[in-house]
Amino acid sequence: MKLQDKLDYESLRRTYLLASTPNYLYKYLRRDRTLEEFAKSVTEQELRELFTQAIKDGIRDVDDLLTLYAIIVGLTFKECSRGIASFFDGLDKYDFQWVRELGAICAAKSVPTILVSTTYSAYRDKSKKTVPNTSTNVSIRKAEAKVQIKGESI
Amino acid sequence: MSMKRESFTRRDSITVQTRAGDSIENFQGGMIDAGGRMCWEAMKRDYRSAKFRTGPIPIYNCHGLTFASRRTAIDKLGELSKILRDDRYMEITNLNRVLPGDIILYIDKQTGDREHSGIVVSEPKKTLGVPFVVSKWGMFGEVLHLAMDCPYHEECMVKYYRVIE
């Protein structure tokens, strides 16, 4: 399967042929502008369906293999979900060059973020003492693991 | 042993070991098609000051040239660590002491990944502190080039190593 109108195969081919390691391949595929634009133009579901179709169509030449790579790395531009994590784990069953390795690299790079936001305020009670008034909100978001704490006081 | 040159599936490996007898994971093969050859010709135009020793040879990669005598490709970063340790490579930290025969590693400054390697073929002090090296550019060919005149030097630092005992 080729996505000629979506991806710059000349650029992807050069990256692939220069790569001696899957880490190099991942690093430079991730920087490919057409790959990023393509990935952001479709949904996670569409990317996974494209992958399934590409496998079904068969890998006959380098460009077919590059399509697989583009889809795998393209998913790293999406918010990490269980579906994506499961997809990366599932790449272990494919025997194409560097597909398993790319899956492992992408899985390692896609770590969910936990954001903890806390707002607190103080008020004076009847005894005119300053009393803290706290509430805590927890939300789980995408991409890289990090923790932020925000607070404001009166 | 068959070499699956016509397939994009995992390829055959050969027996390669470190000095200590540890197996080194490797693979042979790969495929260069007409599109790949055109890509190689374009690459050569981008690096006019380099000399291209060979055409594309997909059997081995840069680490296979440096550590496996051009017989196979090594792509697992852990295997490189194993080789450096078992074979007792020592880093040459003084650039003025780097000699032909030493190996050069291109290491990503952020991740520490050893993205590329080659063999030093000239003394750095004779070429303004930058040696000539021979390295294999992925599945493409072998190239004689100044250490910093290649597709791998950006964002990488270089280190030099030698087996001294």
Side-chain angles (χ1 to χ4, degrees):
Chain A
M1 171 191 277
K2 292 158 185 65
L3 303 168
Q4 298 289 3
D5 55 337
K6 306 280 186 197
L7 297 169
D8 180 354
Y9 280 91
E10 199 175 313
S11 170
L12 297 181
R13 198 177 301 127
R14 180 170 161 142
T15 295
Y16 165 67
L17 291 170
L18 278 175
S20 280
T21 67
N23 300 69
Y24 178 98
L25 179 68
Y26 169 81
K27 175 172 145 182
Y28 284 95
L29 285 182
R30 194 104 195 336
R31 290 185 189 175
D32 189 278
R33 210 164 272 181
T34 64
L35 192 157
E36 181 177 353
E37 282 172 9
F38 158 66
K40 290 180 175 177
S41 72
V42 294
T43 65
E44 171 198 327
Q45 179 67 20
E46 284 169 332
L47 278 173
R48 289 199 270 146
E49 284 170 2
L50 275 171
F51 185 88
T52 304
Q53 188 60 46
I55 293 290
K56 198 174 165 187
D57 289 350
I59 308 302
R60 294 185 188 86
D61 56 26
V62 171
D63 287 358
D64 288 336
L65 187 63
L66 294 174
T67 301
L68 288 188
Y69 292 161
I71 295 169
I72 294 168
V73 175
L75 280 164
T76 64
F77 288 102
K78 303 297 185 191
E79 280 201 21
C80 183
S81 67
R82 279 189 188 175
I84 287 181
S86 172
F87 172 86
F88 288 147
D89 287 344
L91 291 175
D92 213 39
K93 63 177 176 278
Y94 295 104
D95 215 25
F96 299 107
Q97 182 195 358
W98 284 342
V99 164
R100 293 180 190 176
E101 290 85 351
L102 267 186
I105 292 168
C106 291
K109 302 283 184 187
S110 301
V111 178
T113 297
I114 300 175
L115 283 177
V116 177
S117 66
T118 302
T119 58
Y120 61 93
S121 59
Y123 65 92
R124 288 185 185 277
D125 65 7
K126 288 180 182 175
S127 63
K128 296 189 182 177
K129 285 182 185 174
T130 301
V131 179
N133 181 15
T134 61
S135 66
T136 303
N137 295 316
V138 176
S139 61
I140 298 176
R141 294 201 199 160
K142 60 174 168 114
E144 299 165 21
K146 58 183 176 183
V147 175
Q148 285 182 352
I149 300 177
K150 306 187 273 189
E152 57 182 17
S153 62
I154 299 175
Chain B
M1 178 176 290
S2 65
M3 288 188 287
K4 296 178 184 172
R5 295 196 202 184
E6 300 305 316
S7 164
F8 294 101
T9 56
R10 288 174 166 273
R11 283 66 54 83
D12 289 332
S13 63
I14 59 172
T15 301
V16 182
Q17 294 180 334
T18 67
R19 190 203 292 194
D22 282 334
S23 294
I24 299 170
E25 255 190 80
N26 64 89
F27 70 93
Q28 290 178 322
M31 220 172 120
I32 298 282
D33 57 12
R37 292 188 189 279
M38 282 174 58
C39 202
W40 176 232
E41 293 306 316
M43 178 79 60
K44 286 159 73 173
R45 288 192 290 273
D46 289 344
Y47 291 90
R48 292 190 186 275
S49 57
K51 285 189 181 172
F52 299 88
R53 296 183 75 245
T54 72
I57 308 173
I59 292 291
Y60 59 98
N61 63 356
C62 60
H63 301 316
L65 180 152
T66 308
F67 298 109
S69 302
R70 299 177 167 86
R71 293 186 174 95
T72 186
I74 300 169
D75 67 344
K76 300 275 188 298
L77 301 178
E79 300 304 284
L80 298 180
S81 298
K82 187 193 295 183
I83 292 167
L84 291 174
R85 182 195 67 228
D86 284 6
D87 290 1
R88 300 196 194 165
Y89 276 93
M90 301 295 291
E91 187 183 348
I92 309 297
T93 52
N94 186 339
L95 188 62
N96 291 326
R97 293 195 178 161
V98 171
L99 292 171
D102 290 342
I103 65 161
I104 180 172
L105 286 180
Y106 295 73
I107 302 166
D108 185 291
K109 289 177 193 168
Q110 285 201 333
T111 62
D113 291 342
R114 297 177 182 112
E115 293 187 347
H116 188 58
S117 64
I119 301 172
V120 173
V121 296
S122 78
E123 291 183 63
K125 60 188 177 189
K126 294 185 178 173
T127 45
L128 301 175
V130 181
F132 274 96
V133 306
V134 165
S135 71
K136 179 83 163 31
W137 291 8
M139 276 200 263
F140 287 137
E142 290 189 22
V143 188
L144 170 65
H145 60 93
L146 281 168
M148 297 306 159
D149 186 27
C150 69
Y152 306 95
H153 79 277
E154 284 180 30
E155 301 169 23
C156 281
M157 56 181 170
V158 295
K159 290 190 175 183
Y160 300 92
Y161 293 83
R162 182 188 304 160
V163 176
I164 58 173
E165 61 174 15

